[in-house]
Amino acid sequence: MNSEKVVFGFFVLLAATLNFGYVTGDIDNPLHHNALELYAAVVVNLIATVLKLGDRTQMGAVHLASSLVASIQLLLAAGSWIWETQGLGVAAADVAPHAMSGVVSLALGALLANIVSVVLMVIETANFRRRA
Amino acid sequence: MPHRAPFRARSPRTTLRRVNVRLPEASPSADALFILMRRMRGPLVVLLIIFAVDVFGLSLMPGTDLAGNPHRLTIFDAFYVMSYTATTIGFGELPYPFSTAQRMWITFSIYSSVIGWAYAIGAMFNLFQDRAFQEALRQQRLAGQVRRLREPFLIIAGFGQMGQRIAETLDAQGRRLVVIDSDGHALGSLEGGKLSIDVPGIDGDARDPRILTLAGLSHPFCEGVLAMTHDDSANLAVVMAVQLLRPEVPVYARANDRTAAAAMRDFGVDGVINPFDRFGEYLAMRLQRPTTYQLVTWLLAPYRTPLGARQAAVPPGRWIVASDDRFAGEISEDLRLAGSTIEVVDSARELPDLTGVVGLVAGSADESRNLALAAHARLLNPSIFVSVRAGSEALQPLLAAFAPDSVFIPSRLTAEEAIARVVTPDFWAFFLFAFKQDEEWSQALLERLVERQGTGSPASRRLTLDAEHAPGVMKWLTHHQLALGDLLRHPNDRDHPLGLVPLILTRHGHDVFVPGDEVDLQVGDEIVVAGQDEALDSLDHTLFHPGAVEYVATGVVAPETWLFRKLSPRVQDV
């Protein structure tokens, strides 16, 4: 067992699961989306991006690209969330439906990139088995 | 002005090259950015985690607003506070004064984030100090420098005494160079700023094709390679690499040994310079044909070297060669062909009796010993011809004072011959021709050169009479004749010839050496002329301006501008 692979797999999966957890629920209902989970998703996605730096393979390049996409989308989601709540001085539970769906749809986009990451990881693992 | 890449056939096959191979990449591990990213992964992850925990913890700590109601920082507020706290900017307690619990957490955060920052910054500085990383950075910078070259350039492998001499001369002529040497100290002199143009110096073994690639062997503007290291096998390796990987690029090499030279010729080297071998030929020529010798050494000398004094011929006779290495064999062979009898003695011993001896070659590897031998010989027999071999230029002042009849400095001879081959390859063809000529021919050419362009050694240039290089002449030649002598008249005053002497006229692939003034020029002719730079510039004027061509050809001052040319019936067709 390679501990580096464990850490890598852990963060890639956790990024996807946290992201998924955040976006589930009605897209325009602020009560269905936990801001702390969004925060955790941002942090874990950033860590996953850093872990993918410096890999020269083609696979590594696509990994990095998908992580960058996910991180940027999540940061935009977090930014718009901060704006909708603190910037406009609205309580979290009272965020307007159109604003909430804007935040969640950004996070949904990130989820797609995270799924690509997970699929890539599975492909990589399967190939590794075959070679060994 | 951007130069066009010189046209060359792409990767021809030769007898030795059966398969066309792509040139090897220059060291794939040398990407500094990847090293940076890979090494910074750990520190960045640690920093991110510490920061995330600090922000999250701060948002959990209970606090109150100004009215005393319970209030917690949002994630964004916590992030904002941590950002200015961790970077020691410290705006204070926002948005409300902190509770004790919040202050305790901030205290913890400050210390933990300092550890994270210290680790990350420390790792980064460590990386910058890392030899491998610095090497990667340097290689990348050099590769970039070479890649961005947009003028023809030469690669010089070996930056010893010879390489430096060649580099200085070529640099003075404005040629671009890339230098390879395995000795970092030798390359250090590049940074001394002796050369006027920035020369990329690559620290590496020229035997490695990847190093040659790094130096630009695969670059479309690479116009030649000079293998000038001290090591014959390294020079051979360079020749082989160039001929097998990029056969269309000319390669010139130095060889100290006949077997190495033969191996290089097998690989189709464009020129081998064996200084020991060459010096024998020069010495024999000096003895038998002093005028030819005077001419060729002058032509070979750096630009504007004054013409040396004519020396008297030396009849064949008994010669003594004092040496301790292969030099004795090489030089004896040439002197014997010139009709002398040779006695080879060990340079470590006393000289034999010198009565009746015509000349002495002091040819040991030790230059001080050579000077001592020559001095001793001159004391015993003041009229003896002495030839001294010197390993370097260090004894130059002493040699100048002693003034032996001939001096052999292998590195200088090699450098001069290499430069002559590289500067104008056509000129080298002429040089080989002149090398074989007799005294009368040399005398005539020497007088013509001195009369036309003075006693400073000439530069040479090749002119091609085509639409690109000589549009003025092309126009004239469509309707009229133009003699070579007329072309070389001064465009301001045609009664005076330009200070130029034509050396070669190439027509349909045939060379005519030293063509006469009466030769009529044809479209497509190539002419190599020798002369001073100013005269060459004036000639450019004639080549490009139809009016100047008409003037030198006929003496009529033709209108230069379009309107007046149209108005003047005489020059309708020009």
Side-chain angles (χ1 to χ4, degrees):
Chain A
M1 195 178 73
N2 184 342
S3 64
E4 194 192 327
K5 294 282 170 206
V6 174
V7 173
F8 183 74
F10 172 79
F11 278 104
V12 170
L13 261 183
L14 189 62
T17 53
L18 284 169
N19 198 340
F20 181 75
Y22 177 71
V23 299
T24 41
D26 288 344
I27 197 167
D28 56 355
N29 188 345
L31 297 176
H32 291 184
H33 305 284
N34 186 345
L36 280 182
E37 201 168 6
L38 178 60
Y39 169 66
V42 169
V43 170
V44 172
N45 259 289
L46 285 177
I47 292 175
T49 310
V50 171
L51 284 176
K52 291 167 179 180
L53 289 179
D55 189 342
R56 296 179 70 106
T57 60
Q58 174 70 19
M59 203 63 119
V62 182
H63 255 310
L64 182 59
S66 65
S67 259
L68 279 174
V69 169
S71 300
I72 289 169
Q73 291 241 20
L74 284 172
L75 283 172
L76 286 175
S80 52
W81 172 254
I82 290 165
W83 177 248
E84 295 301 339
T85 53
Q86 284 178 269
L88 301 177
V90 178
D94 303 334
V95 171
H98 74 270
M100 193 62 217
S101 51
V103 172
V104 176
S105 63
L106 277 169
L108 262 171
L111 179 63
L112 189 63
N114 267 320
I115 290 171
V116 170
S117 269
V118 173
V119 170
L120 280 177
M121 194 174 68
V122 171
I123 293 174
E124 221 175 11
T125 317
N127 278 342
F128 184 70
R129 281 275 163 72
R130 206 184 305 149
R131 230 182 294 135
Chain B
M1 190 179 95
H3 296 252
R4 276 195 327 179
F7 171 78
R8 285 198 189 99
R10 284 196 71 76
S11 306
R13 283 160 183 253
T14 65
T15 323
L16 294 176
R17 176 185 163 109
R18 295 270 162 88
V19 180
N20 294 345
V21 192
R22 277 186 51 176
L23 271 84
E25 285 285 316
S27 30
S29 66
D31 199 332
L33 186 65
F34 274 100
I35 297 181
L36 179 73
M37 293 209 289
R38 201 171 297 165
R39 295 275 290 270
M40 288 308 291
R41 258 192 310 210
L44 281 181
V45 167
V46 169
L47 192 62
L48 259 174
I49 290 175
I50 289 176
F51 213 76
V53 170
D54 289 349
V55 169
F56 183 63
L58 186 57
S59 75
L60 290 186
M61 291 301 123
T64 53
D65 62 13
L66 291 174
N69 302 317
H71 175 268
R72 283 183 181 162
L73 296 181
T74 63
I75 291 277
F76 172 67
D77 287 336
F79 175 73
Y80 177 59
V81 172
M82 277 315 302
S83 297
Y84 66 64
T85 308
T87 51
T88 70
I89 294 168
F91 282 151
E93 302 183 343
L94 295 171
Y96 311 114
F98 287 163
S99 68
T100 310
Q102 283 172 325
R103 288 189 182 154
M104 282 170 72
W105 185 262
I106 290 273
T107 311
F108 164 76
S109 306
I110 289 172
Y111 286 102
S112 60
S113 62
V114 161
I115 292 172
W117 280 118
Y119 177 38
I121 293 174
M124 196 138 88
F125 280 132
N126 240 336
L127 182 61
F128 287 151
Q129 308 256 302
D130 194 82
R131 274 190 90 78
F133 182 72
Q134 286 183 338
E135 184 63 20
L137 267 185
R138 223 169 48 81
Q139 281 219 344
Q140 240 170 305
R141 209 185 60 231
L142 287 172
Q145 266 185 340
V146 172
R147 227 185 358 258
R148 283 191 298 274
L149 282 174
R150 284 295 170 267
E151 295 168 70
F153 65 93
L154 290 157
I155 301 174
I156 302 181
F159 200 56
Q161 223 185 99
M162 224 172 343
Q164 291 182 18
R165 181 180 258 278
I166 294 173
E168 277 164 30
T169 312
L170 292 176
D171 177 72
Q173 298 177 357
R175 303 285 286 252
R176 298 300 302 253
L177 309 167
V178 177
V179 165
I180 307 174
D181 201 296
S182 52
D183 178 8
H185 289 293
L187 292 175
S189 67
L190 280 177
E191 274 143 39
K194 244 186 181 175
L195 304 181
S196 57
I197 306 173
D198 198 17
V199 172
I202 286 153
D203 186 357
D205 190 345
R207 276 175 283 206
D208 184 347
R210 284 176 306 178
I211 295 289
L212 284 171
T213 312
L214 187 66
L217 182 59
S218 54
H219 198 296
F221 282 104
C222 176
E223 61 169 347
V225 180
L226 293 162
M228 292 291 146
T229 69
H230 296 291
D231 181 2
D232 276 2
S233 73
N235 290 339
L236 177 59
V238 173
V239 170
M240 292 194 292
V242 175
Q243 285 298 307
L244 288 178
L245 298 175
R246 193 101 198 268
E248 70 273 24
V249 171
V251 53
Y252 308 93
R254 166 205 190 183
N256 288 331
D257 189 273
R258 276 168 195 255
T259 49
M264 287 175 190
R265 288 202 183 89
D266 284 346
F267 273 94
V269 68
D270 296 82
V272 189
I273 302 153
N274 179 343
F276 287 0
D277 185 21
R278 293 295 292 162
F279 178 66
E281 291 171 33
Y282 278 99
L283 184 58
M285 179 164 64
R286 156 75 188 84
L287 301 177
Q288 295 177 317
R289 292 174 288 145
T291 315
T292 311
Y293 176 80
Q294 187 190 18
L295 173 70
V296 296
T297 49
W298 185 57
L299 289 177
L300 206 57
Y303 180 52
R304 281 191 180 158
T305 303
L307 180 62
R310 167 102 31 98
Q311 286 142 323
V314 177
R318 206 172 134 239
W319 276 72
I320 292 187
V321 175
S323 177
D324 52 3
D325 60 7
R326 290 181 304 102
F327 180 62
E330 298 272 5
I331 193 95
S332 306
E333 186 63 36
D334 287 306
L335 287 175
R336 211 165 273 139
L337 285 177
S340 298
T341 52
I342 313 298
E343 187 181 337
V344 177
V345 298
D346 186 346
S347 59
R349 302 250 186 88
E350 278 292 302
L351 283 176
D353 180 25
L354 293 180
T355 45
V357 171
V358 178
L360 167 86
V361 179
S364 80
D366 175 2
E367 54 191 2
S368 303
R369 175 82 195 138
N370 291 340
L371 193 54
L373 282 172
H376 187 63
R378 194 176 269 180
L379 286 176
L380 293 180
N381 182 353
S383 62
I384 195 168
F385 185 101
V386 276
S387 172
V388 176
R389 169 185 168 191
S392 67
E393 308 254 341
L395 283 191
Q396 189 60 45
L398 277 63
L399 283 172
F402 184 76
D405 301 278
S406 119
V407 181
F408 172 46
I409 302 175
S411 64
R412 187 165 78 190
L413 182 66
T414 314
E416 283 177 352
E417 288 220 336
I419 291 163
R421 283 167 152 97
V422 167
V423 170
T424 22
D426 328 86
F427 182 69
W428 182 249
F430 174 77
F431 185 81
L432 286 181
F433 171 76
F435 211 91
K436 300 194 199 80
Q437 298 309 304
D438 58 19
E439 292 285 279
E440 290 90 72
W441 185 90
S442 305
Q443 180 65 37
L445 179 60
L446 201 55
E447 277 169 9
R448 190 163 168 208
L449 276 166
V450 170
E451 181 209 320
R452 279 282 180 93
Q453 63 99 51
T455 55
S457 61
S460 66
R461 190 184 295 175
R462 178 164 69 160
L463 325 163
T464 309
L465 298 186
D466 59 17
E468 187 184 346
H469 299 100
V473 175
M474 288 293 288
K475 273 195 168 178
W476 180 256
L477 284 179
T478 49
H479 298 283
H480 308 276
Q481 295 277 317
L482 180 64
L484 178 57
D486 287 336
L487 178 67
L488 298 182
R489 288 174 190 275
H490 201 291
N492 294 345
D493 178 4
R494 73 188 291 278
D495 295 334
H496 289 92
L498 281 171
L500 297 171
V501 174
L503 296 182
I504 315 176
L505 176 67
T506 309
R507 182 176 291 168
H508 308 310
H510 292 290
D511 288 345
V512 177
F513 293 111
V514 200
D517 283 346
E518 70 292 345
V519 178
D520 276 325
L521 295 171
Q522 291 179 9
V523 171
D525 282 354
E526 292 177 17
I527 312 159
V528 176
V529 292
Q532 306 292 314
D533 279 341
E534 301 81 44
L536 290 166
D537 290 343
S538 303
L539 181 59
D540 268 345
H541 182 78
T542 313
L543 291 175
F544 280 88
H545 295 90
V549 179
E550 182 175 0
Y551 172 70
V552 294
T554 62
V556 176
V557 181
E560 285 273 352
T561 57
W562 175 84
L563 180 66
F564 281 88
R565 290 232 303 274
K566 288 288 166 205
L567 292 177
S568 158
R570 191 176 37 76
V571 285
Q572 284 290 319
D573 50 352
V574 174

